């Protein structure tokens, strides 16, 4: 049994090592951020006292108040709108047959793997003067919200369809026999059970939208008041890093913080959502 | 740096041609269109149309300001002989080793170590292993820029253990910058692979393990005969997902080296960005974007095709 115990100990040792490695880079900027420039930090920089002055300086100098507001407006809008739309598309693909459904569904799935790098160039030019209606959307929240709703609907459709398919047919049929309309079935029978699935989807979409960088760089760089938190961090780092790495570290921790807090409370949803593709089927 | 795609990339398997087509669910109800149309409209207008529009732009010579000139496929023929573009794809191939191959091997090794005994408390480790998936690429870039900094933890540790001669500003080094970025990619994806494989193993029927043990199989045989075949689906998903991440990798490259020093970390998405928004070669940038999209699509299809064949065998 000693060999078995040794093996088990080894397993835990390896797991602990890899877990620490996964956390370390985040800890390292947190440690750095708890210092001031004048501390002349090197190495592991374990903080000896709690000094939040770098956070304060980063927040004001990097204008993260505006950045957080922009990120929140964009992420919240994308999350809510794409959730509503995906519940609709998922409901239809999951419980109904209609003309062309087998052609349209794979086309939507394509949106999950296609790189959105391949969409930013036309978005940049079209948003300067939207074809047909001649609106100027560049450097507005809409420039970030609209494309990200489009991308999120692709993932959301897949996700909600899988959920609606897994609900028992008898439930839907019983409601129909009772005379419920298609909307009645969705609203009164299916949605009350769908809450966990919708929450998982929303948590993921919110996280991706909060973290998004390339679209923000291309589509709202020109307006300081519309810059998202990650874009603000990128500009702040470019301007300040050489002079004061502690401030940049503090800014980076600030940008990551909201998602980390949500993760602590809802990690089951993150893990379930991100592994779903492999686990389903 | 979990990208929107990554969560769904596993779903790719849905795109495989089905051998036994299952019947569509539910009744024929064309009212379904009513529920599909709003979501579909956003998707078509803001994702699909721009994609098609990119391909259209790639047929023109355009600086983004003056009138476009139709040039047919000449952007593609210049791309074909563009050494910068070619080296950007070579860099991507190197990154695939770091983002996809190493994490998958690490994940399998760890899983092999864990399947011999049930591990209690994996949920706790899972929380840590999954962490890199949620952090914005820009933040990851800042964290690792510090780790690689001249005065950062890595160089400090090297000097402490008497290997100070190896210390260097890693991201500014012509031969080390690309592996340094690759290491960031390994860090981002290995936890995902581990969690994916460990939860996959739990679905392998324990009777298979019992049978292997009765047959006297050792750890290695057991891994090759039971664990690896049982994880085929998870390995495929992990490979597709991490390969796509490696080919994109814009956020991290832009925020660490921006393609430097001397173009040694230039990747296709970065090159596309430079051409479109810094050099005003919009048509050419669109061609690069198209080539990148097609590459991702083809690679994903190849991985899935190979997986499909091994399934039949």
């Amino acid at each position: 049994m000693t060999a078995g115990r040794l093996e088990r100990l080894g397993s835990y040792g390896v797991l602990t090592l890899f877990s620490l490695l996964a956390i370390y880079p985040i800890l390292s900027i947190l440690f750095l951020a708890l210092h001031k420039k004048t501390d002349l930090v090197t190495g592991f920089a374990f903080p000896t006292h709690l000094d939040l002055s770098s956070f304060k300086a980063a927040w004001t100098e990097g204008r993260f108040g505006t950045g957080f507001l922009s990120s929140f407006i964009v992420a919240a809008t994308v999350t809510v709108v794409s959730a509503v739309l995906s519940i609709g598309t998922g409901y239809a693909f999951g419980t109904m047959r209609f003309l062309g459904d087998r052609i349209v569904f794979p086309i939507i799935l394509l949106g999950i793997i296609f790189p959105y790098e391949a969409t930013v160039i036309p978005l940049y030019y079209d948003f300067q003067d939207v074809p047909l209606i001649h609106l100027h959307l560049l450097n507005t929240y809409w420039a970030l919200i609209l494309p990200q709703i489009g991308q999120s609907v692709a993932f959301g459709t897949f996700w909600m369809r899988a959920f609606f398919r897994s609900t028992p047919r008898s439930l839907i049929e019983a409601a129909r026999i009772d005379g419920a309309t298609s909307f009645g079935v969705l609203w009164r029978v299916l949605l009350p059970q769908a809450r966990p699935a919708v929450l998982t989807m929303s948590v993921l979409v919110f996280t991706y939208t909060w973290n998004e960088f390339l679209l923000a760089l291309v589509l709202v760089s020109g307006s300081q008041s519309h810059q998202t938190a990650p874009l603000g961090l990128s500009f702040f780092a470019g301007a300040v890093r050489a002079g004061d790495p502690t401030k940049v570290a503090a800014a980076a921790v600030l940008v990551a913080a909201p998602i980390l807090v949500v993760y602590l409370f809802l990690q089951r949803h993150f893990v379930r959502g991100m592994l779903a593709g492999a686990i389903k089927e | 740096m979990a990208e929107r795609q990554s969560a769904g990339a596993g779903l790719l398997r849905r795109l495989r041609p089905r051998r036994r087509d299952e019947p569509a669910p539910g009744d024929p109800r064309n009212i379904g269109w009513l529920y599909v149309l709003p979501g579909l409209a956003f998707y078509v207008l803001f994702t699909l149309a721009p994609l098609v529009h990119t391909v259209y732009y790639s047929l023109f010579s355009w600086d983004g300001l003056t009138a476009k000139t139709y040039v047919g496929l000449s952007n593609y023929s210049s791309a074909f002989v563009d050494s910068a573009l070619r080296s950007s794809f070579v860099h991507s191939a190197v990154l695939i080793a770091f983002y996809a191959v190493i994490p998958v091997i690490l994940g399998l090794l760890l899983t092999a170590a864990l399947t011999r005994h049930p591990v209690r408390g994996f949920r706790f480790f899972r929380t840590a292993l999954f962490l890199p998936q949620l952090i914005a690429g820009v933040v990851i870039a800042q964290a690792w820029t510090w780790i690689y900094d001249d005065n950062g933890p890595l160089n400090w540790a090297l000097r402490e253990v008497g290997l100070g001669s190896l210390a260097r500003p890693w991201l500014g080094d012509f031969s080390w910058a690309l592996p340094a970025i690759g290491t960031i990619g390994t860090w981002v994806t290995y936890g995902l692979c581990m969690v994916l494989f460990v939860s996959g193993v739990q679905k392998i029927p324990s009777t298979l393990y019992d049978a292997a043990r009765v047959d006297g199989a050792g750890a290695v045989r057991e891994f090759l005969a039971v664990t690896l075949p049982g994880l085929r689906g998870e390995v495929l998903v992990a490979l597709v997902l991490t390969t796509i991440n490696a080919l994109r990798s814009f956020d991290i490259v832009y925020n660490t080296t921006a393609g430097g020093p001397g173009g040694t970390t230039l990747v296709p998405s970065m090159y596309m960005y430079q051409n479109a928004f810094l050099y005003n070669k919009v048509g050419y940038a669109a061609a690069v974007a198209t080539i990148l999209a097609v590459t991702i699509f083809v690679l994903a299809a190849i991985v899935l095709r190979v997986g499909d064949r091994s399934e039949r065998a």
Side-chain angles (χ1 to χ4, degrees):
Chain A
M1 278 326 281
T2 34
R5 189 174 293 175
L6 258 181
E7 238 180 89
R8 188 168 304 190
L9 223 89
S11 303
Y12 279 113
V14 173
L15 263 182
T16 309
L17 175 72
F18 280 115
S19 301
L20 286 177
L21 280 175
I23 300 172
Y24 176 68
I26 306 302
L27 280 185
S28 79
I29 39 165
L30 182 62
F31 289 167
L32 179 61
L34 289 169
H35 288 81
K36 292 194 289 283
K37 181 189 177 187
T38 45
D39 293 348
L40 297 172
V41 200
T42 56
F44 285 102
F46 192 78
T48 46
H49 58 286
L50 206 62
D51 183 347
L52 298 178
S53 59
S54 288
F55 285 96
K56 276 183 212 141
W59 181 264
T60 44
E61 289 170 34
R63 289 175 230 254
F64 281 100
T66 330
F68 269 56
L69 183 67
S70 299
S71 279
F72 186 78
I73 291 173
V74 171
T77 314
V78 170
T79 305
V80 172
V81 176
S82 68
V84 172
L85 295 173
S86 306
I87 288 170
T89 52
Y91 176 51
F93 285 118
T95 67
M96 304 174 198
R97 268 183 293 154
F98 45 93
L99 193 67
D101 59 346
R102 289 192 180 200
I103 301 165
V104 175
F105 184 63
I107 291 176
I108 293 183
L109 280 188
L110 274 188
I112 294 174
I113 50 161
F114 254 115
Y116 62 87
E117 281 83 347
T119 64
V120 291
I121 298 173
L123 286 176
Y124 176 78
Y125 288 101
D126 288 342
F127 279 159
Q128 292 182 16
D129 180 20
V130 179
L132 306 176
I133 50 174
H134 300 292
L135 269 179
H136 183 93
L137 296 183
L138 201 68
N139 296 318
T140 68
Y141 293 136
W142 294 112
L144 295 179
I145 290 171
L146 297 172
Q148 294 192 91
I149 291 176
Q151 289 161 16
S152 306
V153 162
F155 167 66
T157 300
F158 172 85
W159 179 258
M160 290 315 299
R161 172 184 177 270
F163 172 78
F164 287 123
R165 283 190 82 154
S166 70
T167 55
R169 297 281 312 145
S170 53
L171 209 66
I172 301 172
E173 273 151 21
R176 283 197 194 142
I177 289 167
D178 287 349
T181 60
S182 71
F183 185 76
V185 172
L186 175 63
W187 187 253
R188 279 197 300 275
V189 181
L190 296 176
L191 267 189
Q193 306 179 25
R195 243 178 251 159
V198 173
L199 181 60
T200 299
M201 172 177 71
S202 304
V203 160
L204 289 183
V205 168
F206 188 90
T207 303
Y208 298 145
T209 312
W210 181 276
N211 288 347
E212 202 289 325
F213 177 69
L214 176 61
L215 285 176
L217 175 68
V218 171
L219 300 175
V220 296
S221 276
S223 164
Q224 208 161 43
S225 57
H226 291 87
Q227 283 169 14
T228 60
L231 184 62
L233 172 59
S234 179
F235 288 160
F236 188 61
V240 173
R241 181 152 62 211
D244 187 352
T246 62
K247 266 188 220 160
V248 178
V253 172
L254 287 173
V255 172
I259 300 296
L260 285 178
V261 171
V262 179
Y263 180 57
L264 284 182
F265 289 102
L266 297 174
Q267 53 156 304
R268 200 164 47 90
H269 289 278
F270 279 95
V271 177
R272 187 173 66 175
M274 288 184 180
L275 295 185
I279 290 167
K280 289 258 155 59
E281 325 247 323
Chain B
M1 225 297 271
E3 306 289 348
R4 192 175 314 270
Q5 275 80 356
S6 75
L11 324 176
L12 255 190
R13 293 199 290 149
R14 294 218 99 269
L15 294 176
R16 276 191 308 196
R18 288 177 173 267
R19 265 153 285 143
R20 270 172 286 112
D21 230 351
E22 54 198 285
D27 325 311
R29 310 186 86 195
N30 279 326
I31 198 171
W33 271 109
L34 196 68
Y35 293 92
V36 168
L37 270 178
L40 186 65
F42 272 89
Y43 173 70
V44 168
L45 282 175
F46 299 108
T47 304
L48 215 53
L51 206 66
V52 176
H53 210 158
T54 299
V55 179
Y56 172 78
Y57 278 166
S58 75
L59 304 176
F60 289 84
S61 169
W62 188 32
D63 61 5
L65 294 168
T66 54
K68 303 182 194 61
T69 322
Y70 178 78
V71 293
L73 294 176
S74 83
N75 280 327
Y76 292 94
S77 49
S78 1
F80 195 71
V81 293
D82 181 348
S83 61
L85 181 64
R86 199 176 313 145
S87 65
S88 78
F89 273 98
V90 172
H91 299 154
S92 279
V94 175
L95 290 185
I96 287 176
F98 280 97
Y99 273 73
V101 180
I102 296 175
V104 165
I105 292 174
L106 270 180
L108 284 175
L109 285 178
L110 184 87
T111 310
L114 295 183
T115 45
R116 298 287 287 176
H117 310 279
V119 183
R120 254 167 253 163
F122 186 68
R123 288 175 65 98
F124 171 77
F125 294 107
R126 198 179 69 176
T127 307
L129 288 171
F130 228 81
L131 195 70
Q133 298 300 311
L134 329 161
I135 310 287
V138 188
V139 175
I140 292 173
Q142 302 314 325
W144 282 87
T145 302
W146 165 240
I147 288 177
Y148 289 137
D149 188 272
D150 211 13
N151 293 316
L154 180 59
N155 285 326
W156 179 83
L158 285 173
R159 289 185 190 112
E160 284 295 300
V161 298
L163 293 171
S165 57
L166 294 180
R168 68 194 74 220
W170 298 88
L171 290 169
D173 189 289
F174 274 73
S175 36
W176 284 98
L178 188 61
I181 287 183
T183 305
I184 303 178
T186 303
W187 175 77
V188 171
T189 52
Y190 79 79
L192 176 74
C193 293
M194 287 178 180
V195 177
L196 197 60
F197 299 161
V198 170
S199 61
V201 158
Q202 286 161 1
K203 282 178 297 159
I204 300 176
S206 59
T207 48
L208 289 180
Y209 284 101
D210 297 339
R213 275 170 216 181
V214 168
D215 289 347
V220 176
R221 273 219 64 123
E222 183 185 291
F223 177 74
L224 292 178
V226 182
T227 309
L228 202 54
L231 285 180
R232 191 184 35 78
E234 280 78 7
V235 171
L236 275 186
V237 166
L239 278 177
V240 172
L241 216 133
T242 51
T243 303
I244 292 177
N245 267 348
L247 279 166
R248 304 177 67 235
S249 66
F250 178 84
D251 300 9
I252 287 178
V253 171
Y254 182 91
N255 287 291
T256 49
T257 61
T264 50
T265 60
L266 188 69
V267 290
S269 54
M270 187 73 213
Y271 193 54
M272 175 213 78
Y273 175 83
Q274 290 175 340
N275 275 288
F277 301 106
L278 305 177
Y279 311 153
N280 296 326
K281 289 164 71 178
V282 180
Y284 188 62
V288 173
T290 307
I291 295 171
L292 176 64
V294 170
T295 308
I296 287 179
F297 205 57
V298 168
L299 274 182
I302 289 175
V303 173
L304 294 172
R305 183 57 59 85
V306 170
D308 211 31
R309 193 170 303 154
S310 70
E311 183 178 26
R312 244 169 275 172

